[in-house]
Amino acid sequence: MNSMEKISQFREERNWRQFHNEKDLALSISLEAAELLELFQWKTSEEALKNPERLKEELADVLIYSYMMADNLGFDIDGIITEKLEKNTIKYPVENSKGNKKKYTELSQ
Amino acid sequence: MNSMEKISQFREERNWRQFHNEKDLALSISLEAAELLELFQWKTSEEALKNPERLKEELADVLIYSYMMADNLGFDIDGIITEKLEKNTIKYPVENSKGNKKKYTELSQ
Amino acid sequence: MNSMEKISQFREERNWRQFHNEKDLALSISLEAAELLELFQWKTSEEALKNPERLKEELADVLIYSYMMADNLGFDIDGIITEKLEKNTIKYPVENSKGNKKKYTELSQ
Amino acid sequence: MNSMEKISQFREERNWRQFHNEKDLALSISLEAAELLELFQWKTSEEALKNPERLKEELADVLIYSYMMADNLGFDIDGIITEKLEKNTIKYPVENSKGNKKKYTELSQ
């Protein structure tokens, strides 16, 4: 079983799909992203990385809700990632954006 | 090439990995989650779903930064999802949590 | 003592101002906003309003960190609110934006 | 007119109060907090502070939506800030929490 199927099985077994309207899923992705971000509050990256177990769990929560959203909307995970990378490739051509932080921050806004 | 490899190639080609410290990646996941959530502001799920193209793009952005974070930390996407689902299975046993909204919202907090 | 002075005294007494760099304050405002939003997860507004005590606390946390940020940057709270309302008045003239939800959601994006 | 009255007048004139259910206000506070945080993405505090005009606007937006939420719920801004600071004073006594970063980050989680 792949990750999408495992996540689907998890919510089917609990009959939770009925509660998973897309607005609350989007809200949940934001909340899990905040829990991940909280591990970095008042810390440098290095300090935060001393606790990989919590990072793993919170990142997994972001992914699980994101997969549920994709499932609800009939999106294929690899498909939408590939499509978006193709758009980004046009938006940030290698020759303009290579290794320049100033350019990078301006380009990425 | 799988999604992780495509994302890795994208940042290698631009030499952007040097800017991708984990604190700013966590921050970026939060920002992309907010852009996804914005599509639901002042709307019901049904109203928001009329614009699947934007939903697809913003959800892909959340996924792309989450994959970058996993890559930085040496986490396997399917591995951390499976591990977290196993923890959730213990936390929310099927017999206690099946199809009851009140129980669900209390359990999930 | 007004709110700004009370907040300032609170962090002076603990000698915490040294930790309050603006990037972590911005991050903290986001985290507190997420804690407020969490009270609405899987709920309607009406359901969430049954717990006013938590709403009061989480909203206060958003305000406290926002006031700290304003203090760090030398901004006057009433001044920046007034300035922004003036900009919004130009952006959303009463005659174009009055009481029309469709117009409202389009205008406010 | 104080800030609360100005904000109230702004939404009354546009007849927007009808759209401002508390769930969408909480969501909007989160989105504005993300726009403020975005000014710090891939930057140090010092780099971000070079653009005070945008910081002023985004911080004002967080405050405006927070004031609207307080108005909807009948909360007094100074009252809820004072109450929360009193709770924090008990939670973080000066003698335990003064000027120690390790203690601070542990205490504040």
Side-chain angles (χ1 to χ4, degrees):
Chain A
M1 228 175 0
N2 65 27
S3 289
M4 189 61 109
E5 291 162 343
K6 286 180 192 167
I7 292 168
S8 180
Q9 187 191 45
F10 183 85
R11 52 181 185 163
E12 296 297 354
E13 282 176 353
R14 283 156 191 76
N15 202 12
W16 280 359
R17 197 181 275 267
Q18 59 180 318
F19 307 133
H20 289 169
N21 69 82
E22 292 76 18
K23 185 166 184 168
D24 277 307
L25 284 180
L27 197 153
S28 300
I29 294 170
S30 256
L31 299 185
E32 297 300 342
E35 291 190 22
L36 176 62
L37 187 56
E38 192 176 4
L39 304 176
F40 293 89
Q41 191 186 22
W42 315 119
K43 294 184 182 160
T44 62
S45 292
E46 290 66 35
E47 288 165 341
L49 263 51
K50 287 177 188 155
N51 192 354
E53 208 45 48
R54 286 292 310 284
L55 289 167
K56 196 182 285 188
E57 286 190 21
E58 301 303 346
L59 183 58
D61 280 334
V62 172
L63 287 163
I64 289 169
Y65 277 120
S66 298
Y67 275 53
M68 285 183 184
M69 176 73 100
D71 191 18
N72 271 33
L73 299 175
F75 296 159
D76 172 69
I77 296 288
D78 292 311
I80 65 173
I81 289 176
T82 299
E83 253 185 69
K84 191 56 170 56
L85 287 174
E86 283 164 3
K87 284 185 186 164
N88 288 350
T89 298
I90 294 163
K91 207 169 158 192
Y92 306 113
V94 171
E95 58 274 24
N96 292 352
S97 45
K98 192 166 175 180
N100 183 322
K101 196 193 171 186
K102 193 161 182 311
K103 264 196 186 143
Y104 174 69
T105 52
E106 281 162 13
L107 286 166
S108 69
Q109 267 169 10
Chain B
M1 234 180 350
N2 66 27
S3 289
M4 189 61 108
E5 291 162 343
K6 286 180 192 167
I7 292 168
S8 180
Q9 187 191 46
F10 183 85
R11 52 181 185 162
E12 296 296 355
E13 283 176 354
R14 283 156 191 76
N15 201 11
W16 279 0
R17 198 182 274 267
Q18 59 180 317
F19 307 134
H20 289 170
N21 69 82
E22 292 76 19
K23 185 167 184 168
D24 277 307
L25 284 180
L27 197 154
S28 301
I29 294 171
S30 256
L31 299 185
E32 296 300 342
E35 291 190 23
L36 176 62
L37 187 56
E38 192 177 4
L39 303 176
F40 294 90
Q41 191 187 21
W42 315 120
K43 293 183 183 161
T44 62
S45 292
E46 290 66 35
E47 288 166 341
L49 264 50
K50 287 178 189 155
N51 191 355
E53 208 45 49
R54 286 292 311 283
L55 289 167
K56 196 182 284 188
E57 285 190 21
E58 300 303 347
L59 183 58
D61 279 333
V62 172
L63 287 163
I64 290 169
Y65 276 120
S66 298
Y67 276 53
M68 285 183 185
M69 176 72 99
D71 191 15
N72 271 34
L73 299 175
F75 296 159
D76 173 68
I77 296 289
D78 292 312
I80 65 173
I81 289 176
T82 299
E83 253 185 68
K84 191 55 170 59
L85 286 174
E86 283 163 4
K87 283 183 187 164
N88 288 350
T89 298
I90 294 163
K91 207 169 157 191
Y92 306 114
V94 171
E95 58 274 23
N96 292 352
S97 45
K98 193 166 176 179
N100 183 321
K101 195 193 171 187
K102 193 162 182 308
K103 264 198 187 141
Y104 174 68
T105 53
E106 282 162 13
L107 286 167
S108 69
Q109 268 170 6
Chain C
M1 235 179 351
N2 65 27
S3 289
M4 189 61 108
E5 291 161 344
K6 286 180 192 167
I7 292 167
S8 180
Q9 187 191 46
F10 183 85
R11 51 182 184 161
E12 295 297 355
E13 282 176 353
R14 281 155 193 77
N15 202 10
W16 280 359
R17 199 181 274 268
Q18 59 180 317
F19 307 134
H20 289 170
N21 70 81
E22 292 75 20
K23 184 166 184 168
D24 278 307
L25 284 180
L27 196 153
S28 300
I29 295 171
S30 256
L31 299 185
E32 297 300 342
E35 292 190 22
L36 176 62
L37 187 56
E38 192 176 5
L39 303 176
F40 294 88
Q41 190 186 22
W42 314 119
K43 293 183 182 162
T44 63
S45 293
E46 290 66 35
E47 288 165 341
L49 264 51
K50 287 177 189 154
N51 192 354
E53 209 44 49
R54 287 292 311 282
L55 289 168
K56 195 182 286 188
E57 286 190 19
E58 300 304 346
L59 182 58
D61 279 335
V62 173
L63 287 163
I64 289 169
Y65 276 120
S66 298
Y67 276 53
M68 285 183 185
M69 176 73 100
D71 191 17
N72 271 33
L73 300 174
F75 295 160
D76 172 68
I77 296 288
D78 292 312
I80 65 174
I81 290 176
T82 299
E83 254 186 67
K84 191 55 171 55
L85 286 175
E86 283 164 3
K87 283 184 187 164
N88 288 350
T89 298
I90 294 162
K91 207 168 158 194
Y92 307 114
V94 171
E95 59 274 22
N96 291 352
S97 45
K98 191 166 176 180
N100 182 321
K101 196 192 171 187
K102 195 163 180 309
K103 263 195 186 145
Y104 174 69
T105 53
E106 280 162 13
L107 287 166
S108 69
Q109 266 172 10
Chain D
M1 231 176 356
N2 65 28
S3 289
M4 189 61 109
E5 291 162 343
K6 285 180 192 167
I7 292 168
S8 180
Q9 187 191 46
F10 183 85
R11 51 182 186 163
E12 295 296 355
E13 282 176 353
R14 281 155 193 78
N15 202 10
W16 279 359
R17 197 181 275 267
Q18 59 179 315
F19 306 134
H20 289 170
N21 69 81
E22 292 75 19
K23 185 167 184 167
D24 277 307
L25 284 180
L27 196 153
S28 300
I29 294 170
S30 256
L31 300 185
E32 297 300 342
E35 292 189 23
L36 176 62
L37 187 56
E38 192 176 4
L39 303 176
F40 294 89
Q41 192 186 21
W42 314 119
K43 294 183 181 162
T44 63
S45 292
E46 290 66 37
E47 288 165 342
L49 263 51
K50 287 177 190 155
N51 191 355
E53 209 45 49
R54 286 292 311 284
L55 289 168
K56 196 183 284 188
E57 286 190 20
E58 300 303 346
L59 183 58
D61 279 335
V62 173
L63 287 163
I64 289 170
Y65 276 120
S66 298
Y67 276 53
M68 285 183 185
M69 176 72 100
D71 191 17
N72 271 33
L73 299 175
F75 296 159
D76 173 69
I77 297 288
D78 293 311
I80 66 174
I81 290 176
T82 299
E83 253 185 69
K84 192 55 170 58
L85 286 175
E86 283 164 4
K87 283 184 187 164
N88 288 351
T89 298
I90 294 163
K91 208 169 157 193
Y92 307 114
V94 171
E95 58 274 22
N96 291 352
S97 46
K98 192 164 176 181
N100 183 321
K101 196 193 171 186
K102 194 161 181 310
K103 265 197 185 144
Y104 174 69
T105 52
E106 281 162 12
L107 287 166
S108 70
Q109 265 170 12

